[in-house]
Each structure stands twice: as C-alpha cells, then as structure tokens.
Amino acid sequence: MTTIREARREDAGLILELVRGLAEYERAPDAVQVTEAELLRDGFPEAGGQRYFETILAEEEGGEASGFALFHPVYSTWRGRAMHLEDLFVRPQFRGRGIGRALLEKVAAIAVERECVILFWHVLDWNTPAIEFYKTLGAEPLEEWRRMRVRDEALRALAGKAPSEAK
Amino acid sequence: MTTIREARREDAGLILELVRGLAEYERAPDAVQVTEAELLRDGFPEAGGQRYFETILAEEEGGEASGFALFHPVYSTWRGRAMHLEDLFVRPQFRGRGIGRALLEKVAAIAVERECVILFWHVLDWNTPAIEFYKTLGAEPLEEWRRMRVRDEALRALAGKAPSEAK
C-alpha cells in the first residue's frame, strides 16, 4: 500500500537522492549541481522566505520512498493560474504499480484546489512510453513550442547590459 | 528615449491589452481568456496573497507603452533558482529600436539579482527571427524537450482520481 504525503524539511536529502535518480534515467547523471542546502532553502524556507517549489513523496509500507513529484505555480497570460510539474519520478523497482499516476493525480488535485486551470510539464521527445502514458491521462504535447534557456555566464553578460535607468 | 519601469496595479488593463497584442502576433488572437480582474489579483495581490507574476513596461516619451515583459520564478532541480519569461512583446510600430532587447536584459538583471542561474522561456518553432535573435544573446534552444499540458475538464478529471488518503 502506497501513501502520498507532503515532504518536510528533514526530507531534503531524500529529495536530492530522488532528483539524482531521475537525472540518471534522463541520461544526464552529472547534471545535478543543486545541493541539499539549496533544496532546503528554496523548498522549505524560513518564515518570510520565498518558497520556490513543493514536493510530495510516495512511501511504501515500512516508510521507504518509492517516488516523488516536485511542482510550483506558473502563469498563463492566456488562461491565468497554472501549475508546473518539474519532476515526476518512480524508482525503477517500484514501477508498474500506478505510483506515477497517483503522484500526478495528487498534483492535479492540488492544482485544481488552487484554482489553476492548466498543469504543464516537460518531457524528452525520445521518451515515447512517457508521452503515450501522459496522453492516456488527457495530456496534449505542445508540438510548436521550444524551450529556450540562457544561463550562467551568458545570463550574467545579458544582465550586465540592462539599461541603468531601468535598474 | 525609452524607459523601463515596474508595472503597478493601475496598469492591469494595459497589460491585458499588451497580452492580446502578443497573442495576435502568435496567431492565436482568441486564446486570451484571462480577465483584467485576474491579472490584478494574480500580479498585484493584496497583502498576504500570492504573486504569480511580475511585469515590466517599456514606455516612450509622453508615456505611451511600447512593450512589456512578464515573468515569474521557476525551479530547476538540476541547478536551483531560475526565472521564466512568460511574455516579451514590443508593439509593431516600436520595433527595431532595441526595446525587446532592453526588456530582456532587464529581466536577466532581475533574475541575477535574485540569485537565479537560468532564464527560461518558450518560443514558437516557426518564429525563426526570434530564435535567431535570442541566439545572438547567448540563448540555447532545448531541442529535446516538449511541453505537455492537461487543462480544464481533463485536469479536473485527473484531479478527481487522486487517492483520497492523499488529499
């Protein structure tokens, strides 16, 4: 029997472990540079701090974590409040039991509770099993859109050019 | 001379007008269902309310708005704090003066100020001029990723299936 619960501060190390598990599956095992301290700061802020994300955990009897979902609000200027699912992952040995679906359903329920009209996420275009699974849940791939990114040195260079009267 | 400033509550109607201008350019003139009241609630919340997005406006001498950028925080579990640029738009009659670039630079500056390491946005795959422009600023298209979406009735159906012990 799987239960799903909100993550707590003491789960930050476990969340990092699950994030790394997902990155391995996504063929990017070395991409995870985030630290436990950053996950703690940004997911479980002190009073007054900004919360960047929320996490739910799937747990098996005995308390072992079998999967997680990590999400945060986004905004659609066409439709209004929306939720973005950043990570959804079930550990390989726990697959095929409906845990991924239960996590996704729970995130959908939280989104609806908060008056969000859309739930978004990203999927790798070669991950056909995931895409097909998501379609059975009523999801649509937005084929026309590409995600762009500017980061690190390039982001700082761009920032450095901002007009000073605009700062 | 263009100046860039943060939008205020009284700009909500103007923001909606600019959002509609962008939707027309994106060949989706009827896609904008958001209302001025929602933009006001979600962008300029009362004390204690959650702010879903921020907006900056480009203004010409005389006070006419020539463009806008609308953005909000997101999270990369690989890298940490990030910013998402939801909308960037310059009214057609004001193009070619560097206003889009100035808006993007300002958003980058705000992102860096808040310790974000990445700025993300989405672009339509047929919008080659925009993609080429973004590349000159150091941006990379994430070719492998597709955006998925579940919304409205399908989202509510998914939410309704969430395991009750998880609610």
Side-chain angles (χ1 to χ4, degrees), chain A residues 60-72:
Chain A
E60 302 311 303
E61 280 177 53
E64 192 180 1
S66 50
F68 83 121
L70 191 147
F71 52 98
H72 57 69

Side-chain angles (χ1 to χ4, degrees), chain B residues 35-56:
Chain B
T35 64
E36 187 177 333
E38 286 170 329
L39 292 177
L40 201 56
R41 177 193 68 181
D42 297 331
F44 309 91
E46 305 291 336
Q50 183 171 0
R51 185 168 64 171
Y52 278 76
F53 64 85
E54 293 172 63
T55 312
I56 55 174

Side-chain angles (χ1 to χ4, degrees), chain A residues 64-134:
Chain A
E64 192 180 1
S66 50
F68 83 121
L70 191 147
F71 52 98
H72 57 69
V74 291
Y75 206 75
S76 160
T77 46
W78 291 359
R79 297 293 316 279
R81 292 183 180 180
M83 192 70 86
H84 171 75
L85 176 65
E86 175 66 15
D87 283 349
L88 177 69
F89 180 60
V90 176
R91 286 178 154 153
Q93 65 271 36
F94 295 105
R95 292 195 188 147
R97 302 186 195 179
I99 298 171
R101 175 189 283 261
L103 285 163
L104 192 57
E105 286 167 356
K106 178 61 183 163
V107 174
I110 293 168
V112 167
E113 216 175 274
R114 298 187 192 168
E115 300 177 56
C116 296
V117 292
I118 316 177
L119 175 63
F120 290 108
W121 64 98
H122 293 101
V123 64
L124 286 159
D125 61 355
W126 49 257
N127 195 355
T128 317
I131 295 170
E132 291 310 313
F133 166 66
Y134 293 141

